[in-house]
Every structure is written in C-alpha cells, then in structure tokens.
Amino acid sequence: MKNLFYILITFTVLSSCSEYQKALKSEDIATKFKMGEDLYKEGKFAKANKLFALIVPNYRGKPQAEKLMYLYSNSFYQMKDYYVAGYQFERFASSYPKSEKVEEASFLSAKSYYMLSPVYSKDQKETKDAIEKLQTFINLYPESQYVGEANKLVKELDFKLEKKAFEIAKQYNRISDYPASVKSFNNFAFEFPGSSLREEALFYKLDSAYKLAINSRENKITPNGIVSLKKNRLNEAKEYYEAFKKTYVNSKHIEEVDKMAITLEEELKKYSTKS
C-alpha cells in the first residue's frame, strides 16, 4: 500500500510538471492564463509569474488585462521581489484608476518600498522613499482600511531615521569629537522634536558640551580680539544642564548631570575670582 501511495504521488507530481511544461510551450495565451491563475491560487507564485510574464503583452487593451496585471504584480510581491512589485503595483494603479483593486494595489506598492528599507545603520534612501510613498497613499486614501497599517509603518520608518541620526551624533561623542557631537545633537533635536530618544540625545549633548568645556583651552584669538573660549563653553554647558534638569528631573542620568553641574560651577567660580 505504501508503494502504491508513493507511486500515485510521483505520478501526480510528474503529471502536474508535464501540464506546466505544456502550458509554457503552448501558443494559446488563454491556456497560459488559466494555468497561471491555478498555480497562483495554489501559492506557486514563481511558476505563475513565469506564465504571466509570457502573456502580459498579449493582453494589453483587453478586458482580462486588469485581472492579469493584478495577479502578475502580486506574484512579485508574494515572491518577495519588492523592487519589481512596487513598480508593477504603481503601473497597475496608474493604468486602472477605477479598479476595485486600485486602493489595495496602491498600498502594496507603498508597502513594497517599506520592505526594502534596510537596518538603520545603512544608507536610508529606501527608508525615505518608503515614507514618501506611504504618506502619499495616506493622503490619497484617508478612509482606507489600510491607513492604520500605513501609519504604523511610517512611524516605524521615522524611528529608523531618528535612530540613525542619534547614533551618528553619539558616535562623535564616543570618539571625542565633541563640537561635532553637540552640533549633531542640536540638529537631531530640531529634526525630531517628539522623538522617544530625545532625553538620551539631550543627555549626550550635555555630556559632549561638558567635556568640551572642561578640556578647553582658556582663550581663542579672533579677528575681533581675544575670546574667553573656556568660560563661554562652561556657560553653554551650564545652560544645557539647566534645560535638561528642568525637563527631565527624574531622569536616570540625574545624578551624573548634577555632578557635571557642580564641576561647572567650580570652574566658573575661578573666573569670578579673577574679575
């Protein structure tokens, strides 16, 4: 009985492969469409896609073209070929603006770009493209059933940009390039005012400003005369401390920043004594 079962399975598989090969070689585009649709329903998207690709040019302008182009586009998506899926879904939405599938196609096109977004440490061009595509979808279909998911995806992508900007600024702090770190964290605070990383960003900005001030030389010669470089930097770091303490009084960093403040005050007293 087991042998008979395996024989039947083998026969079925071979028969199926034979039918697929026949469809590939067939001159009848309807046969290819039917076989492709059946394979698509079975989840065999790569095989279906291969058949669809052969007949897409033949169906342009025909009533069945809309259905074919949707299946063709979605087969790329199901195969995780998101570059092509995004492009094909865009073409579908543009070609069939009155289709009942246009909203879904527009969303899947935008989501394809989301799927291409890399980890935050890499170049974020695809992430920015995905945010733009998803936002365009949200603006076009504000009442869509997909808007909730689209907003969630945008939020996730936004955080990825925040994380990258934060880590770049933090890296400047690690390598002791404190002027670049302070500048980068200022830019971060301006670009992402509502970021969940804001507390950490302001702490590391203070930390960078503090270390820059403490290790600074006394004066700097400028075209306008001698500037008290260290004193100015100490005062700037003190301002950052006061802003941080006012906003994050219960921060996990509060003991550390209070110690910074004590040192800053001790250093600034030296200038009061001099004057």
Side-chain angles (χ1 to χ4, degrees), residues 159 162-163 165-166 169 184-206 240 243-244 246-248 251-253:
F159 181 76
E162 292 172 23
K163 181 72 172 173
F166 174 84
S184 294
F185 277 121
N186 277 328
N187 290 338
F188 176 89
F190 177 77
E191 291 177 27
F192 308 106
S195 173
S196 59
L197 298 170
R198 184 175 176 81
E199 179 182 340
E200 290 297 296
L202 294 183
F203 166 73
Y204 280 107
K205 182 178 79 168
L206 167 59
Y240 290 155
F244 183 89
K246 182 178 180 181
T247 308
Y248 301 107
S251 171
K252 65 181 181 180
H253 299 295

Side-chain angles (χ1 to χ4, degrees), residues 44-63:
K44 298 174 181 177
F45 300 108
K47 286 186 173 182
N49 178 274
K50 194 170 183 179
L51 286 167
F52 294 151
L54 293 172
I55 60 175
V56 162
N58 303 96
Y59 275 91
R60 287 196 182 114
K62 294 184 179 181

Side-chain angles (χ1 to χ4, degrees), residues 128-141:
K128 293 174 183 176
D129 289 342
I131 291 172
E132 182 181 338
K133 299 290 184 182
L134 284 162
Q135 197 58 59
T136 297
F137 170 79
I138 293 167
N139 294 339
L140 282 173
Y141 302 99

